[in-house]
Amino acid sequence: MHISVIGTGYVGLVTGACFAEFGLSVTCMDTDAQRIGKLEKGEVPFFEPGLTELVHKGIKENHLTFTSNLPKAVEDALVIFIAVGTPPRADGSADLSYVEEVGRGIAQHMKSYKVIATKSTVPVGTGERIRQVIKAHQTTPCRFDMVSNPEFLREGSAIEDFLRPNRVVIGADSDQAVAIMKDLYRPLYLIETPFVITDIASAEMIKYASNAFLATKISFINEIANLCEKVGADVQVVAKGMGLDRRIGPKFLHAGPGFGGSCFPKDLAALVQIGQESGERMEIAAKAAEVNDRQRRRMVEKIHAALGGLKGKTIGLLGLSFKPNTNDLRESPALAIAEGLIEKGAAIRAYDPEGLEEATKLLPGLQACKDAYDAAQGTDALVLMTEWNQFRNLDFVHIKQLARQPIFVDLRNVYEPDRIATLGFHYISVGRPPRGPNPAAS
Ligand code: UGA
């Protein structure tokens, strides 16, 4: 079967490469001809573990082709996935202009039956809206079906998430479209992946509700962490104790500097906006976003308090991406915190394995360092921002020699507090009591 994927961002490119891995014939289309030129040579425009290899394999086995020619992408395919961006507007609502533009383009070039599936996260009602756009712009009237097939992959583990998902959601109002979609995902039947077959609106809602719930879980544990600090409790143990209750589950209960990325902040804002338009206030989603903004500011205050002021201080930052294994800096708490520290007069030395170059463009005040130890040179405090694996086994004896004073702020609770304190550090984390004497206080 031949399918096309419109949009070669994270979701589009991973979808295309993984369906090619399933043995389908896939055309990935993007209006950015330069991007397509690079992809044809196997150059992936962002960092995602395993994706370059999968793209090379797809090209080599003739399962994966790239084009900037929409008519070609439309004519060849039975199923057309829309995976273009839905960036937030100033009021938080999702900007659907790219999605609608693709809808018009598909309408003008379709000459036979097609299934049009949205992979982008789109507000409830968008499937219907695209259906109307296509109907209004068709040049050759022919039948087509709309499907909502939301994607749940995470950056950094996108391929694994696509190839071994917890579930596949298919929203449609046509048996033929459901059968075709199920056929695409046939390899997943073998690993007994559950399928949720529903209407388009419910499928669209599942995506927003899932992301909002996960984001709320994080904001909830971050509030608990802040309270733990006040009452002398340890949030790691609290989260473990909670997570063992199977009704709660252990995942997304890691306290830290707050969530970032291209999805949770944007999707919470969009859900609040959808609620407003529908006359239903999404108060929990709104609060989850508010608590998240506050958490970033709290991290700046935490470092400020530990150092007794930030003016003239040098701080080393480890990790700038919003999470490990990605170079994505969108809504990264690390960048927001770095900005807050700079505003309060601190000099920043920073290192990130994949996002450093881009980060220094976004925040020219950052002093780019070549590794974690370079970032620690002459610092009043070293702060672990993003839990890349290479920061999980730091040589603290070496860091102590390099730093101006031994203060380690672990915003991802990676280390055992007593162990770092024994190595002569004042150790601060999130939701756990600090350990070791504070050299800045003496
Ligand atoms: C998220 C969802 O997890 C995916 O299921 C979804 O498909 C995707 O959004 C999307 O809508 O496209 P992603 O943003 O890539 O995926 O990353 P996550 O692993 O969910 O992490 C998001 C943020 O939450 C990161 O900043 C991470 O550090 C933070 N986080 C995560 C915590 O602070 N604590 C946790 O316990 C878990």
Side-chain angles (χ1 to χ4, degrees), residues 2-6 27-30 67-80 106 109 114:
H2 198 119
I3 67 163
S4 287
V5 183
I6 315 294
T27 301
C28 287
M29 186 269 160
D30 203 297
T67 183
S68 51
N69 181 338
L70 185 66
K72 181 178 160 11
V74 173
E75 278 159 28
D76 292 353
L78 174 60
V79 182
I80 303 167
I106 293 172
H109 301 291
K114 309 279 174 199

Side-chain angles (χ1 to χ4, degrees), residues 17 21 42 44 47-61 64 159:
E21 177 69 8
V44 174
F47 175 74
E48 177 62 40
L51 185 56
T52 303
E53 292 79 353
L54 212 58
V55 167
H56 284 176
K57 188 163 174 250
I59 294 172
K60 197 164 150 238
E61 291 173 354
L64 189 58
I159 309 242

Side-chain angles (χ1 to χ4, degrees), residues 396 400 406-410 415-429 432-439:
F396 281 94
K400 203 169 171 209
I407 297 182
F408 189 70
V409 186
D410 179 0
Y415 287 96
E416 188 49 51
D418 285 332
R419 189 172 83 79
I420 309 305
T422 311
L423 293 168
F425 279 80
H426 178 54
Y427 177 85
I428 300 163
S429 53
R432 305 187 293 180
R435 292 279 193 277
N438 184 353

Side-chain angles (χ1 to χ4, degrees), residues 225 228-237 302 413 415-418 421 426-436:
C228 282
E229 287 179 11
K230 295 277 159 61
V231 301
D234 180 332
V235 75
Q236 295 280 93
V237 184
K302 190 189 262 294
N413 291 351
Y415 287 96
E416 188 49 51
D418 285 332
H426 178 54
Y427 177 85
I428 300 163
S429 53
V430 180
R432 305 187 293 180
R435 292 279 193 277

Side-chain angles (χ1 to χ4, degrees), residues 151-155 207 211 214 218 252-254 258-260 263-264 267 322-323 412:
E151 187 45 62
F152 300 97
L153 57 84
R154 291 162 300 172
E155 289 182 19
K207 173 67 191 190
N211 271 6
L214 290 169
I218 300 169
F252 280 70
L253 283 183
H254 299 289
F259 54 78
C263 304
F264 287 169
D267 292 350
F322 83 98
K323 63 183 240 179
R412 297 288 181 168

